[in-house]
Amino acid sequence: MKAEETHKAAHAMIGATVLRYMVAVWTVGLAFAATLVMSPLMQPGVSPLFLLAVMISAWRGGLGAGLLATVLSASASAFVLLPPAYSLRVDRNDLLQLVVFTFAAVVIGSLSATRKSAEEEREALLVREQAARKEAEQANAVKDEFIAAASHELRTPLTTIKALTRVLLRQQPSETERREYLEDIASECDRQIDLVHNLLDLSRIKAGGVTINSSRVDADEVLRACEKIERVEAEAHNHDLRVEVAHDLPLISADHSALRRAICTIIENAIKYTPDGGTITLRAQAHGEGVSIEVEDSGRGIRPEDLPHIFDKFYRGRAATDGNHTSSADEQEVPGIGLGLHLARALVEGMNGTIEVRSRTGQGSRFSVCLPVWEKEVNTNERDAASTPAHAFSQTGG
Ligand code: ADP
């Protein structure tokens, strides 16, 4: 495919070069014919029409074409137009004329070619400048959109925290209510911390490095930590959050914190994009050479046209618009800024893993994160100390 394209490009280049030189042949031919027709009216000597031919050739075809036109004009003048005809011999006067003509033609040709290339360069600069301006405008629009969305995302949990704190301060809630409010406050704080972490990761990815420290990790433990973090939110939406972990899973090579954050993001999406009362299943099982961690939901699913883009930065999918499902207006009510999956993929790929999704609109989605098995020999003691204890992860973004 590439060789064919190179071949085609080479052909096109040869064609353009031939065309440039053909311009010289054509214009000199025309000047020659016109000179012959007008010779009874013109003074003997080198025809000024040849200078015009040289100028046009250099303008259209560049310096090479201008020089060719000069050579052709001088030869045609010497061989046919200047006496003796059909001989390259010329007398001293005509020779002087020919030398002056050639000199003038070379100067005019060079000037025309230089002017032409300067004009082309200016046009190219203008095109580049316009493209750069358009890109900057687009980037600015994305930035504005992002700032608006991020501010909204940051404000929402804060508003809830403030309202609940006021309730706790002013009313005398029962012990159960107090506990419930505090749990809500804690989960809203988690959401906020998550967002701040995502924003930090985003700038780190841009600067060329989220630090990933892969070590031996127990996928079961990570999944249970995620379940603990997300359970409150899942229950608030009456989702049935299940965990299915295969026995004797091998340890994986991953960064505990990065993996937990990536999986939490996927679970949070499952919670968000599944209508209340849905089922969300977290699975961990051996898969080929590695371990696969899956998050499956019974939610609204992802439209086929959104599927190729959902890992793109700032991409937000839309809900399907058939009779039973939400419209794009509802989409606005689902909070988000289109960063979660982009960051999740960056984190997973930073751990040499892969992330993929299968989904059908109206039938739910299944995200699978595959990570390599920890290769080095580990003994039982090491395995027990494999990953950081779950209590270290009391926060989503921690
Ligand atoms: P956000 O949720 O902030 O929009 P994400 O990057 O996390 O951004 O997700 C990108 C898009 O992928 C979402 O806008 C949504 O359309 C789609 N999506 C992600 N997870 C799910 C899911 N479990 N079910 C349906 N759609 C999803």
Side-chain angles (χ1 to χ4, degrees), residues 132-155:
R133 186 153 7 126
K134 205 167 161 203
E135 216 170 273
E137 278 168 7
Q138 272 169 355
N140 230 4
V142 168
K143 205 174 80 189
D144 287 350
E145 230 170 83
F146 170 71
I147 290 173
S151 317
H152 174 79
E153 286 280 291
L154 285 166
R155 201 182 49 210

Side-chain angles (χ1 to χ4, degrees), residues 148-170:
S151 317
H152 174 79
E153 286 280 291
L154 285 166
R155 201 182 49 210
T156 314
L158 278 180
T159 315
T160 316
I161 292 169
K162 192 172 166 189
L164 291 174
T165 319
R166 288 231 162 100
V167 171
L168 281 173
L169 283 173
R170 289 191 189 148

Side-chain angles (χ1 to χ4, degrees), residues 269 272-273 297 300-302 310 315-317 336-338 340-341 365:
N269 277 347
K272 274 200 301 192
Y273 297 109
D297 64 58
R300 71 180 204 197
I302 302 167
I310 56 164
Y315 188 85
R316 298 213 70 208
I337 47 177
L341 289 182
S365 313

Side-chain angles (χ1 to χ4, degrees), residues 17 34 51 78 87 95 102 110 137 229 241 331 340 354 360 383 398:
T17 311
L51 276 182
S87 151
L95 184 64
T102 309
S110 310
E137 278 168 7
I229 292 163
L241 185 62
E331 172 70 5
T354 57
R360 288 178 75 178
R383 193 192 155 98

